[in-house]
Amino acid sequence: MSKELKFKPIEEWGFNFESPLIMAGPCSVESEEQVMETALQLKDQRFDILRGGIWKPRTRPNSFEGIGSQGLKWLKDAGNAIGKPVATEVANVKHVYESLRMGIDVLWIGARTTVNPFAVQEICDALQGVDIPVLVKNPINPDLELWIGAFERLNRAGITKLGAIHRGFSTHEKTKYRNIPRWNIPIELKRRFPGLPLICDPSHICGTREYLREVAQTAMDIGFDGIHLESHINPDKALSDAKQQLTPAAFGELINSLQMRQSLEQNPYAENQLEMLRGRIDHLDHYLIEMLSERMDVVREIAEYKREHNLAIVQPSRWTEILEDRVNSGQRKNLTEKFIKELFHAMHKESIHHQTEVMLQPDGNKVEKNA
Ligand code: PEP
Ligand code: MN
């Protein structure tokens, strides 16, 4: 079903968007002057879409929840003043109707809305038959299927001008980010849907200005199709997301400092060079699989022995010893502790599975696991 998703290439959206696609603008539209002044200051920077939140999904009710419908005209006027299309977030039918009535050019569905299929469906029903680009932020939880589900719903409503915005995932872990990137998730989305434009939102990933550049550069290095950054004329005084917004000038500097990468289709020479290296990777991967299979043969031999001698499968001290030793040896080879632990836990799980199978063979004695 997912394979049938239809995406219209950005070049056919009816705007003159450049590549990479760049969105910039305040977290919230706060006043007519603030959004107009931000737009005027952004005018000479390289960007394609002016963004601004009108209705803000805030964690606590006593914070600024957006200026509401009156701000739509201010946003549209600011876009017109600099000749750029404008985008805002919609979370319900009212938001959709009011945005369409005001001629908002691009809509996005926020992370807190993508998690809720009822809300996404309601938006899709309101958009049935409307030809407008819709960008979908990832759900706050790392659930790729839920993210894809929103594209499927939009497609069913006839919307094909679609884009994905990666804004990181909420976590209880203490990290330097407000929302951890978990790059593997947008990468998997891109692998499954190469035609779906993928935009990175370093502002909501970082939560502070400090790491914006590094995250934006990583997105370019990976091959994202666009960048989304919040920009405000006076970031420290912003009514929402004050710590992560950039002045228009700082936004321009950041964009200009990015090293843009080409896709392989744009550079056939690189494709040839990479082929050799990819050949080596293929060879090493098959070698790894052979080694893992040989290791599993030894595991099965051990299991036979344990069965014959009535020993339990898991011997905790041996497992602790293996883990410590492999982490140390991995670190000497530039592999992180986290990676080695995850790898060995996965191998251990598979090895227990093989051992249990051997133990359960008809002539085996019943053995108690001490795992
Ligand atoms: C926003 O873009 O201002 C916003 C609320 O983002 P998110 O849905 O990613 O939290
Ligand atoms: Mn914001």
Side-chain angles (χ1 to χ4, degrees), residues 201-246:
D201 170 358
S203 306
H204 293 90
I205 289 176
C206 296
T208 62
R209 287 182 270 280
E210 203 177 343
Y211 307 111
L212 291 175
R213 210 201 85 83
E214 124 190 350
V215 169
Q217 185 59 58
T218 300
M220 291 294 93
D221 294 347
I222 290 174
F224 274 62
D225 306 288
I227 294 286
H228 164 290
L229 282 166
E230 287 184 337
S231 175
H232 189 286
I233 35 165
N234 191 351
D236 291 333
K237 292 274 156 57
L239 298 182
S240 59
D241 288 348
K243 291 203 186 85
Q244 71 198 29
Q245 303 204 58
L246 293 166

Side-chain angles (χ1 to χ4, degrees), residues 27 51 56-57 89 108 110-112 137 167 201 204 230:
C27 176
R51 67 146 279 156
K56 301 302 298 179
E89 171 175 349
W108 85 78
R112 290 163 196 76
K137 290 205 169 195
R167 49 79 79 198
D201 170 358
H204 293 90
E230 287 184 337

